[in-house]
C-alpha cells in the first residue's frame, strides 16, 4: 500500500484530537486541517468503528481518542483508516494469493515478502505518541 491521503489525514486528525481537551466535530477538524469534510468524515467513522475514536452526538459532540496515543500503533491506525492491510507493494501477501499461475515462479516475491514483514514490524512498534514526539 502506498500511503494515501486517507492515511495522512487519519494521522493528522488523531494528532489534533490527542491535543484537544474536548471533543472536536468534523467541521472543526476539517477547517483546522484544510481537509474535505465529506472525505474526513468517512475516515473518522472508520477510526471510530475500529475503536480508535469515540464519537459523541449532540451540541457538544464530536470525536475523542478512545485510548492513549502510546497505545495506538501506526500500523493499526493506517489499516483502520484504509480499511485494508498495510501493503507497501502491489504484490500478493502470500504465494497462494497470486491471481495467476506466476506466483510459484516469482523470483522477487521472497524479497518483497521479507521487506513487508520488516515494515509491518516497524509500523507496529511505532505509536501515535512516538510520532507526536518528533
Amino acid at each position: 500500500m502506498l500511503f494515501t491521503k486517507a492515511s495522512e489525514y487519519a494521522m493528522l486528525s488523531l494528532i489534533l484530537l490527542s491535543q484537544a481537551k474536548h471533543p472536536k466535530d468534523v467541521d472543526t477538524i476539517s477547517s483546522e486541517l484544510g481537509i474535505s469534510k465529506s472525505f474526513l468524515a468517512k475516515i473518522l467513522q472508520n477510526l471510530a468503528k475500529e475503536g480508535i475514536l469515540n464519537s459523541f452526538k449532540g451540541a457538544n459532540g464530536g470525536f475523542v481518542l478512545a485510548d492513549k496515543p502510546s497505545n495506538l500503533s501506526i500500523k493499526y491506525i493506517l489499516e483502520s483508516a484504509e480499511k485494508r492491510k498495510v501493503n507497501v507493494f502491489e504484490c500478493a501477501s502470500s504465494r497462494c494469493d497470486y491471481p495467476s499461475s506466476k506466483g510459484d515462479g516469482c523470483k522477487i516475491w521472497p524479497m518483497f515478502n521479507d521487506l513487508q514483514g520488516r515494515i509491518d514490524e516497524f509500523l507496529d512498534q511505532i505509536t501515535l505518541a512516538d510520532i507526536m514526539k518528533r
Side-chain angles (χ1 to χ4, degrees):
M1 160 182 110
L2 301 173
F3 296 101
T4 67
K5 289 287 185 191
S7 298
E8 178 184 350
Y9 294 169
M11 296 294 299
L12 291 172
S13 298
L14 292 176
I15 290 169
L16 185 68
L17 288 169
S18 71
Q19 298 167 341
K21 296 188 188 280
H22 304 286
K24 287 191 177 238
D25 62 19
V26 175
D27 288 333
T28 302
I29 298 168
S30 171
S31 176
E32 289 182 24
L33 296 176
I35 297 172
S36 161
K37 178 183 168 186
S38 60
F39 186 45
L40 180 62
K42 290 177 187 176
I43 295 167
L44 296 178
Q45 288 168 0
N46 288 343
L47 297 176
K49 285 178 187 173
E50 293 298 322
I52 293 173
L53 294 176
N54 288 327
S55 63
F56 301 96
K57 295 182 179 186
N60 295 321
F63 293 93
V64 296
L65 287 181
D67 205 344
K68 293 184 270 186
S70 60
N71 292 336
L72 297 172
S73 81
I74 298 307
K75 182 175 182 258
Y76 185 60
I77 292 168
L78 298 178
E79 288 178 346
S80 298
E82 297 288 343
K83 304 236 0 143
R84 61 187 165 100
K85 187 178 179 327
V86 175
N87 287 324
V88 177
F89 305 102
E90 291 185 30
C91 190
S93 58
S94 72
R95 288 185 189 267
C96 63
D97 290 337
Y98 270 78
S100 69
S101 60
K102 296 180 182 178
D104 289 334
C106 183
K107 301 294 184 200
I108 60 174
W109 182 84
M111 186 262 316
F112 280 156
N113 189 53
D114 182 46
L115 182 56
Q116 182 67 53
R118 292 176 189 211
I119 291 169
D120 287 346
E121 184 178 328
F122 177 74
L123 292 175
D124 209 24
Q125 291 175 357
I126 299 173
T127 66
L128 183 62
D130 296 327
I131 297 295
M132 294 169 57
K133 290 177 190 173
R134 295 180 184 211

